[in-house]
Amino acid sequence: MAMTETPPTQPPIQPWRNYGQARLKAFSDGVFAIVITLLVLELKVPRLADSDRNSAPALLWALASILPKLMSYATSFIIVGIYWVAQVNMFRYVKRVDRTFMWINILYLMAVSLIAFTAALIGSYPDNRAADVIYGLNLMAVGLVLSLMWHYAQREGLTDDEHHPSLVKAIRWIGFIPVIIYAGAVGLAILSSKAALLIYAVVPAIYIYPGFMEGVLEKVAAKSEAQRVAE
Amino acid sequence: MAMTETPPTQPPIQPWRNYGQARLKAFSDGVFAIVITLLVLELKVPRLADSDRNSAPALLWALASILPKLMSYATSFIIVGIYWVAQVNMFRYVKRVDRTFMWINILYLMAVSLIAFTAALIGSYPDNRAADVIYGLNLMAVGLVLSLMWHYAQREGLTDDEHHPSLVKAIRWIGFIPVIIYAGAVGLAILSSKAALLIYAVVPAIYIYPGFMEGVLEKVAAKSEAQRVAE
Amino acid sequence: MAMTETPPTQPPIQPWRNYGQARLKAFSDGVFAIVITLLVLELKVPRLADSDRNSAPALLWALASILPKLMSYATSFIIVGIYWVAQVNMFRYVKRVDRTFMWINILYLMAVSLIAFTAALIGSYPDNRAADVIYGLNLMAVGLVLSLMWHYAQREGLTDDEHHPSLVKAIRWIGFIPVIIYAGAVGLAILSSKAALLIYAVVPAIYIYPGFMEGVLEKVAAKSEAQRVAE
Amino acid sequence: MAMTETPPTQPPIQPWRNYGQARLKAFSDGVFAIVITLLVLELKVPRLADSDRNSAPALLWALASILPKLMSYATSFIIVGIYWVAQVNMFRYVKRVDRTFMWINILYLMAVSLIAFTAALIGSYPDNRAADVIYGLNLMAVGLVLSLMWHYAQREGLTDDEHHPSLVKAIRWIGFIPVIIYAGAVGLAILSSKAALLIYAVVPAIYIYPGFMEGVLEKVAAKSEAQRVAE
């Protein structure tokens, strides 16, 4: 039967389809490490007049003018960090990798590395609605590709069987919520740059606020564990 | 007997010849990750006149002018991705690595990283036949070195014995077909830039068209499995 | 009992909290490798007048003028090296990693990659007290985040149980001493640039002076071993 | 007895001294991958007059003028490759790593990444004796630090016991010979640029000439094996 060749769900994929995860992870870690480190190249030492070379106030004043770039550096570092953590988290559940999955992951890395460009765009023209929309669309694209990876992994039986389906489902939802928020921000951006910028700044803050995401994930895990025991 | 020192085929190589694959893979993943990420550095934020800073149409208009660069970014990302997937695939069959193999792989990485240059060349002068020929020759070189690696691995007994020889042979052919296509494109480029560019655009599309390559590989695997059972 | 969810100390964390160390290490190695290698990009080949192209004295003279950049290259290479070795050392004791720990580590990498900027700042304006203070604050920040990681790992039971607590405590102190020294240097910098620069140069020298740190670590290990036997 | 703390030879080092090789390898692979890939950034697309944009002869002519840069790209790629293969080879024998060894390795990576600068120097001023001498001194430094690593590893009992000492000794000598050759080239460079350049070009050619190094290593292995059997 041809159907046994491409099982719709759980039974593990055939060995010849399995590409192994090691290299996909190593390659992804490399791309994330480069994208996150290249951000510091945007920070340039300000030039001082020769008479001001040893003047501390002159240097501090000059640095104040690149403060927006420093802010953009910190924000982008955190955003790229969020998508790296999200991918690391996914591979705690995805245990097999086939050729199609590798290509969706390459698409994910492409969307992530584009952030280096769209973040520079919004950093240069924060009050330009086109920049705000494009930045939001980029973040949405990253989230959508991540959801696609989750979807594909579950459909093709690439995920681990140890975990209760409700846990994986909940984690997938947690990953999809930002896409909805960013869609709202893109809509808002057409009306008001300020409101969109506020959303772009708040979402990363939620992710790194100590204990918040941990609390959510803990509740989800506890609930899914209870469900498994009950069955 | 001197012959036992360098076996022409299957018997596994001596331990002192075996360099291990871990570092070759890590090094290759690093080079691929850097080549693929450096591509985003080509995208520069366009400069707007101060009076246009907050004008969305002005920014969109400025971005339209770098659309060719965005296209070239996406295409190059996919092409480098194809050669990375091809190398990952090869290491599903190649299980031992000697010093010569490591050097052929360094040559492969050299040809791949040159794509960053020849892609910029064709991106800058798409209608220049010299650029079209050079780009095609680069892609041919990558394919030829990949074929050389396969050839060397099989001759020196570096491949896994689990797989049927017909499977490895089929995969080698699949990897060689693009070389023939690119040779044709290089020939065409002398007559018509447009025709060559079309081929350069279509080949990556085939590779990432969902399910196509998977289908081909599946048929090959099924056939080789049938052959093994029949023997 | 809710308390079993987040144990204050030793009992190993729940599986669902464990993110694994492999990717955190790979990602960190990538960021460190890029930060340390990008430093060489600051060294530019000096331009010689056409009549001087083949004159050895002219080239040596031109190179003498970039000697400060070469010094800054070597120093920064060593400083980034120190923080890499410190993180490698920490992971000899930290055996589990949760989401919060991953984020503290991302913060650590952010502070480390900022060194590329603040080192360029102090290299350009060594006698400017603002530059001296900022550089010292950056190094303090790296040390503080490292201490925070150690603190968190011990509190949350992420460390290995094989080692005597006194050993881990001693290693944490050794890591904290530079923070105190740099705090002093920052204070001194307000009074005298020269004194602060001297401290910034001496601290790395201590770390790489052959045998010194090894001797300290050996004594600490011997003492902690004796303590364990005595108990 | 204090002596048991730092054994002069074979007995394996204490666990607390052992830093593990995994991260040292990953970090080194990262640095090598970046150094080798950054080389392609030196190749810039030549600018053509608008009237020549589609002229193949004009583009070929423009490319001919960057041929020296292409040559320097290929040569540097091979030289960095040689030092990567040499380090991979060393880790087939070195099985334990302590803090001092890690620092010698950081020194090795520093010397290797400096090649990016000295290669650009000799590429820009090939007939300048100062450039020729500096390039040779850089290559000598790399070789000397590599020898130092081998020396330290053997003295401190970091090497594997499986291999006959004569094998390791022979491999160390093979690694030291280029240092002697480069020392000669540096001496020659003062008399004649051309002679030094010839040596710099020939040494890498020997390393990648198919079969040559393999033959040497095979003979060394056979001899050491015979010696072991005879004992």
Side-chain angles (χ1 to χ4, degrees), chain C residues 32-221:
Chain C
F32 275 105
I34 298 156
V35 172
I36 218 167
T37 318
L38 288 181
L39 299 168
V40 83
L41 293 184
E42 297 268 312
L43 302 176
K44 312 272 184 209
V45 172
R47 271 166 201 276
L48 297 181
D50 272 4
S51 57
D52 283 341
R53 285 186 63 83
N54 300 343
S55 152
L59 183 56
L60 291 174
W61 191 252
L63 287 173
S65 74
I66 65 161
L67 210 65
K69 291 223 160 190
L70 273 162
M71 292 286 291
S72 148
Y73 166 73
T75 314
S76 302
F77 210 99
I78 289 164
I79 286 171
V80 176
I82 286 171
Y83 292 120
W84 176 68
V85 171
Q87 202 228 32
V88 171
N89 186 34
M90 187 177 62
F91 278 105
R92 301 201 297 152
Y93 303 98
V94 173
K95 293 297 176 199
R96 284 168 292 276
V97 162
D98 68 5
R99 201 179 164 283
T100 303
F101 188 90
M102 288 179 88
W103 273 107
I104 309 178
N105 187 62
I106 290 175
L107 216 66
Y108 181 66
L109 298 176
M110 200 201 284
V112 167
S113 66
L114 248 191
I115 294 176
F117 174 66
T118 58
L121 205 64
I122 205 174
S124 302
Y125 308 113
D127 297 327
N128 189 310
R129 291 173 192 184
D132 301 332
V133 167
I134 288 167
Y135 183 70
L137 289 175
N138 193 167
L139 297 184
M140 274 180 71
V142 176
L144 282 172
V145 179
L146 184 64
S147 291
L148 179 61
M149 266 202 284
W150 269 112
H151 174 72
Y152 182 81
Q154 281 205 296
R155 202 191 68 185
E156 298 291 322
L158 306 178
T159 48
D160 207 342
D161 299 328
E162 294 170 37
H163 303 281
H164 195 273
S166 69
L167 178 60
V168 175
K169 202 179 158 192
I171 288 167
R172 280 182 60 182
W173 262 104
I174 292 169
F176 194 68
I177 290 169
V179 178
I180 300 168
I181 296 176
Y182 286 133
V186 166
L188 259 178
I190 298 163
L191 302 171
S192 155
S193 271
K194 296 266 180 290
L197 287 177
L198 189 70
I199 293 173
Y200 295 150
V202 165
V203 174
I206 291 171
Y207 274 90
I208 62 163
Y209 185 81
F212 180 78
M213 285 303 287
E214 283 73 9
V216 171
L217 290 168
E218 189 182 329
K219 266 182 207 142
V220 164

Side-chain angles (χ1 to χ4, degrees), chain B residues 73-92:
Chain B
Y73 166 73
T75 314
S76 303
F77 210 99
I78 289 165
I79 287 171
V80 175
I82 286 172
Y83 292 121
W84 176 69
V85 171
Q87 203 229 30
V88 171
N89 186 33
M90 187 178 62
F91 278 106
R92 302 201 298 153

Side-chain angles (χ1 to χ4, degrees), chain B residues 207-227:
Chain B
Y207 274 90
I208 63 164
Y209 185 80
F212 180 78
M213 285 302 288
E214 284 73 10
V216 171
L217 290 169
E218 189 182 328
K219 266 181 209 146
V220 164
K223 205 175 147 189
S224 122
E225 182 58 28
Q227 210 165 332

Side-chain angles (χ1 to χ4, degrees), chain A residues 5 16 18-19 23 26-27 31 34-35 99-100 102-103 106 110 113 117 120 124-125 127-128 130-131 134, chain B residues 29 33-34 37 40 45-48 53 55-56 63 73 77-78 82 84 87 91-92 207-208 213-214 218:
Chain A
E5 235 71 60
W16 70 267
N18 193 0
Y19 272 72
R23 298 211 48 193
F27 182 63
V31 171
I34 297 157
V35 171
R99 201 178 163 284
T100 304
M102 289 180 87
W103 272 107
I106 291 175
M110 201 201 283
S113 65
F117 174 66
S124 302
Y125 308 112
D127 297 326
N128 189 310
I134 288 167
Chain B
D29 286 337
I34 298 156
T37 318
V40 83
V45 172
R47 272 166 202 275
L48 297 181
R53 286 184 61 82
S55 153
L63 287 174
Y73 166 73
F77 210 99
I78 289 165
I82 286 172
W84 176 69
Q87 203 229 30
F91 278 106
R92 302 201 298 153
Y207 274 90
I208 63 164
M213 285 302 288
E214 284 73 10
E218 189 182 328

Side-chain angles (χ1 to χ4, degrees), chain B residues 45-193:
Chain B
V45 172
R47 272 166 202 275
L48 297 181
D50 272 4
S51 56
D52 283 341
R53 286 184 61 82
N54 300 343
S55 153
L59 183 56
L60 290 174
W61 191 252
L63 287 174
S65 73
I66 64 162
L67 210 65
K69 291 222 159 189
L70 272 162
M71 293 286 292
S72 147
Y73 166 73
T75 314
S76 303
F77 210 99
I78 289 165
I79 287 171
V80 175
I82 286 172
Y83 292 121
W84 176 69
V85 171
Q87 203 229 30
V88 171
N89 186 33
M90 187 178 62
F91 278 106
R92 302 201 298 153
Y93 304 97
V94 173
K95 292 299 176 198
R96 285 168 291 277
V97 162
D98 68 4
R99 200 178 164 284
T100 304
F101 188 90
M102 289 180 87
W103 273 107
I104 309 177
N105 187 63
I106 290 174
L107 217 65
Y108 181 65
L109 298 176
M110 201 201 282
V112 167
S113 64
L114 248 189
I115 294 175
F117 173 66
T118 58
L121 205 63
I122 205 173
S124 302
Y125 307 113
D127 297 327
N128 190 309
R129 292 173 192 185
D132 301 333
V133 166
I134 288 167
Y135 182 71
L137 289 175
N138 193 168
L139 297 183
M140 274 180 72
V142 175
L144 281 172
V145 179
L146 185 64
S147 290
L148 178 60
M149 266 202 284
W150 270 112
H151 175 72
Y152 182 82
Q154 281 205 296
R155 202 191 66 186
E156 298 291 321
L158 306 178
T159 47
D160 208 342
D161 299 328
E162 294 169 37
H163 303 281
H164 195 272
S166 69
L167 178 61
V168 175
K169 202 179 158 192
I171 288 167
R172 279 182 60 182
W173 262 105
I174 292 169
F176 194 69
I177 290 168
V179 178
I180 300 167
I181 297 175
Y182 288 134
V186 166
L188 260 177
I190 297 163
L191 302 171
S192 154
S193 271

Side-chain angles (χ1 to χ4, degrees), chain A residues 92-93 214 217-218 221, chain C residues 4-7 11-20 96-102 152 156-158:
Chain A
R92 302 200 297 152
Y93 303 98
E214 283 74 8
L217 290 168
E218 190 181 328
Chain C
T4 58
E5 235 72 62
T6 51
I13 62 173
Q14 290 92 326
W16 69 266
R17 268 186 66 198
N18 193 0
Y19 273 70
R96 284 168 292 276
V97 162
D98 68 5
R99 201 179 164 283
T100 303
F101 188 90
M102 288 179 88
Y152 182 81
E156 298 291 322
L158 306 178

Side-chain angles (χ1 to χ4, degrees), chain A residues 141-209:
Chain A
V142 176
L144 282 172
V145 179
L146 185 63
S147 292
L148 178 60
M149 266 202 283
W150 270 112
H151 174 73
Y152 182 82
Q154 282 205 295
R155 202 191 66 185
E156 298 291 322
L158 306 178
T159 47
D160 207 342
D161 299 328
E162 294 169 36
H163 304 282
H164 195 273
S166 70
L167 178 61
V168 175
K169 202 180 159 191
I171 288 168
R172 278 182 61 182
W173 262 105
I174 292 169
F176 194 68
I177 290 169
V179 178
I180 301 168
I181 297 175
Y182 287 133
V186 166
L188 260 177
I190 297 163
L191 301 171
S192 154
S193 270
K194 295 266 179 291
L197 286 177
L198 190 71
I199 294 173
Y200 294 151
V202 165
V203 174
I206 292 170
Y207 274 90
I208 62 163
Y209 185 81

